[in-house]
């Protein structure tokens, strides 16, 4: 009678989190980071919208925007659409990304059983840099388009150009193509038949995807490089069980900082498209460059976005990876596969 023996790669394949685990872990990670870091998003949006209303407006700053707030809770304006977008988006993104990475890793194992695709600090498989870039890019493109309507609601809530009092007013205002605020949209809707367009919920989608897809692809690539190659060398082994969390968090912060800087212009263009009547990325970019500040306008809010993205990535990926390794997930959402007999 033959005995069951498995290579490390086969043993690794026995226990892998299913889609539900990735969805729940990603949603929780996104929810925590969205609520915690909403003030960064709000201030970034207001810095980027400063010249929408008047070309002669005095240039604003973080300090000036903080002084305009009447209550501390105003920093969390837009938290509801932000948490909806981030938790749903993160859950879907991590689920699709992990599915693509796992399926590709299993495909590679079938071709070569000697491949070692196990990461030292993660339950996710190791892939080549190009495979990491491709899977991150595609996963973000899918999720970015699905969550685009929530992204636009979030951006307008954070801006002080609109004074929506509820999600309904925001949805109605966007649908009606209103660029002045909730009151105009509501008045228009009550006096004339609804003649809006669903397309308004996807305004700026090209600029958003041009920002998010390269960001996500580059992020997965740099995160995996930092996590598997650089951080294990820099971070001493004396940290015990906490070492993997430190490695994952440090790698996430470094990857986010790198990719955020590279994709900053697309973020400024995206915000301008979603707050004004600009109809194309090229026109929005030209407008930004010709305003006071020139090319620097393409990097408005970069420091806030760096802080937000860096901390968010550290929180999200650490929570996500640690939840996947937790006893609860291991017992509830791990799918087991029989090891092949020799």
């Amino acid at each position: 009678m033959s005995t069951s023996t498995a290579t490390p790669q086969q043993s690794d394949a026995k226990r892998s989190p299913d889609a539900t685990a990735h969805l729940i872990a990603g949603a929780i990670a996104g929810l925590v980071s969205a609520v915690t870091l909403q003030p960064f998003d709000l201030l970034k949006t207001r810095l980027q919208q400063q010249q929408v209303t008047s070309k002669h407006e005095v240039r604003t700053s973080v300090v000036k925007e903080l002084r305009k707030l009447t209550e501390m809770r105003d920093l969390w304006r837009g938290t509801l659409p932000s948490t909806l977008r981030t938790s749903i988006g993160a859950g879907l993104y991590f689920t699709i990304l992990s599915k693509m990475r796992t399926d590709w890793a299993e495909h590679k194992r079938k071709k070569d059983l000697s491949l070692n695709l196990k990461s030292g600090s993660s339950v996710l498989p190791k892939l080549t840099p190009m495979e990491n870039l491709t899977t991150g890019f595609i996963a973000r493109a899918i999720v970015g388009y699905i969550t685009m309507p929530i992204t636009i609601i979030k951006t307008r809530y954070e801006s002080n150009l609109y004074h929506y009092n509820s999600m309904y007013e925001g949805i109605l205002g966007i649908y009606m193509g209103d660029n002045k605020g909730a009151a105009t949209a509501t008045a228009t809707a009550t006096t004339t038949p609804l003649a809006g367009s669903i397309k308004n919920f996807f305004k700026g989608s090209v600029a958003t995807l041009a920002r998010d897809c390269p960001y996500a692809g580059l992020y997965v690539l740099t995160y995996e490089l930092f996590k598997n190659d650089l951080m294990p060398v820099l971070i001493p082994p004396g940290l015990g069980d906490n070492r993997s969390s430190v490695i994952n968090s440090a790698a996430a912060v470094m990857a986010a900082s790198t990719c955020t800087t590279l994709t900053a212009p697309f973020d400024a263009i995206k915000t301008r498209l979603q707050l004004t009547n600009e109809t194309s990325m090229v026109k929005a970019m030209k407008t930004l460059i010709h305003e006071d500040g020139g090319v620097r306008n393409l990097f408005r809010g970069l420091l806030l976005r760096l802080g937000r993205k860096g901390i968010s990535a550290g929180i999200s990926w650490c929570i996500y990876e640690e939840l996947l390794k937790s006893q609860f997930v291991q017992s509830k959402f791990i799918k087991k596969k029989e090891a092949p007999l020799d």
Side-chain angles (χ1 to χ4, degrees):
M1 184 175 178
S2 63
T3 58
S4 175
T5 59
T7 66
Q9 291 74 36
Q10 291 168 337
S11 176
D12 181 46
K14 289 181 192 178
R15 299 173 61 79
S16 60
D18 61 18
T20 305
H22 290 286
L23 185 64
I24 293 175
I28 292 174
L31 178 65
V32 172
S33 67
V35 174
T36 305
L37 303 173
Q38 177 59 22
F40 286 87
D41 264 353
L42 180 135
L43 292 171
K44 175 186 71 70
T45 297
R46 294 194 176 183
L47 283 179
Q48 292 177 339
Q49 59 125 60
Q50 63 173 321
Q51 291 176 312
V52 170
T53 55
S54 173
K55 291 184 179 180
H56 303 291
E57 184 178 345
V58 177
R59 294 182 69 81
T60 189
S61 66
V62 172
V63 175
K64 290 179 181 178
E65 290 301 323
L66 286 173
R67 287 175 178 170
K68 292 178 184 178
L69 302 175
T70 56
E71 297 181 20
M72 182 64 69
R73 66 179 182 181
D74 290 340
L75 282 169
W76 276 266
R77 179 174 172 80
T79 299
L80 178 57
S82 181
T83 52
L84 284 174
R85 188 201 68 153
T86 306
S87 57
I88 294 172
L92 290 174
Y93 174 72
F94 282 124
T95 302
I96 295 171
L97 180 65
S98 64
K99 177 65 175 173
M100 292 172 64
R101 289 167 58 84
T102 301
D103 287 350
W104 186 247
E106 290 179 355
H107 174 72
K108 293 178 68 174
R109 283 195 188 99
K110 290 178 182 178
K111 290 186 174 182
D112 186 358
L113 293 177
S114 65
L115 284 175
N116 181 10
L117 302 178
K118 185 172 176 59
S119 170
S121 64
S122 173
V123 298
L124 302 175
K126 287 174 62 176
L127 299 177
T128 67
M130 184 54 66
E131 290 164 350
N132 288 325
L133 177 67
T134 303
T135 54
F137 187 100
I138 295 174
R140 185 61 206 175
I142 295 171
V143 175
Y145 198 76
I146 292 173
T147 59
M148 187 59 59
I150 309 177
T151 301
I152 294 181
I153 296 172
K154 167 187 172 296
T155 301
R156 290 200 175 187
Y157 253 93
E158 292 167 354
S159 166
N160 55 16
L161 299 177
Y162 300 86
H163 304 285
Y164 299 137
N165 296 312
S166 66
M167 286 280 287
Y168 171 75
E169 284 188 353
I171 292 170
L172 181 61
I174 294 168
Y175 178 75
M176 297 301 297
D178 168 55
N179 287 298
K180 296 181 180 179
T184 304
T186 305
T188 303
T190 54
T191 57
T192 62
L194 286 177
S197 174
I198 295 297
K199 292 181 180 179
N200 293 335
F201 289 98
F202 294 88
K203 190 175 182 181
S205 59
V206 174
T208 304
L209 295 179
R211 176 199 66 176
D212 289 349
C213 294
Y215 175 91
L218 290 169
Y219 179 87
V220 175
L221 185 155
T222 53
Y223 173 70
E224 290 293 318
L225 287 175
F226 291 145
K227 181 182 72 175
N228 295 314
D229 300 325
L230 181 61
M231 291 304 161
V233 177
L234 297 178
I235 297 176
L239 296 176
D241 295 337
N242 295 323
R243 186 168 182 261
S244 64
S245 298
V246 175
I247 288 175
N248 294 337
S249 296
V253 172
M254 288 186 64
S257 299
T258 302
C259 300
T260 297
T261 303
L262 293 174
T263 59
F266 293 106
D267 184 60
I269 294 170
K270 181 271 301 182
T271 301
R272 178 57 61 96
L273 285 170
Q274 292 179 344
L275 293 179
T276 67
N277 287 320
E278 294 284 2
T279 56
S280 73
M281 287 179 59
V282 175
K283 289 182 179 179
M285 182 178 70
K286 288 181 178 179
T287 301
L288 284 166
I289 293 175
H290 285 99
E291 290 174 349
D292 292 341
V295 175
R296 287 181 298 173
N297 292 330
L298 296 176
F299 294 88
R300 293 289 298 177
L302 175 58
L303 290 179
L304 285 168
R305 190 165 177 250
L306 276 172
R308 197 265 184 207
K309 282 288 188 180
I311 299 172
S312 173
I315 292 173
S316 298
W317 280 82
C318 180
I319 291 176
Y320 170 68
E321 299 248 30
E322 293 306 309
L323 280 174
L324 291 183
K325 292 186 288 186
S326 67
Q327 290 185 351
F328 175 76
V329 171
Q330 291 284 324
S331 61
K332 297 291 186 181
F333 300 108
I334 295 292
K335 56 184 179 183
K336 301 179 181 179
K337 300 177 183 178
E338 294 295 330
L341 296 176
D342 286 343

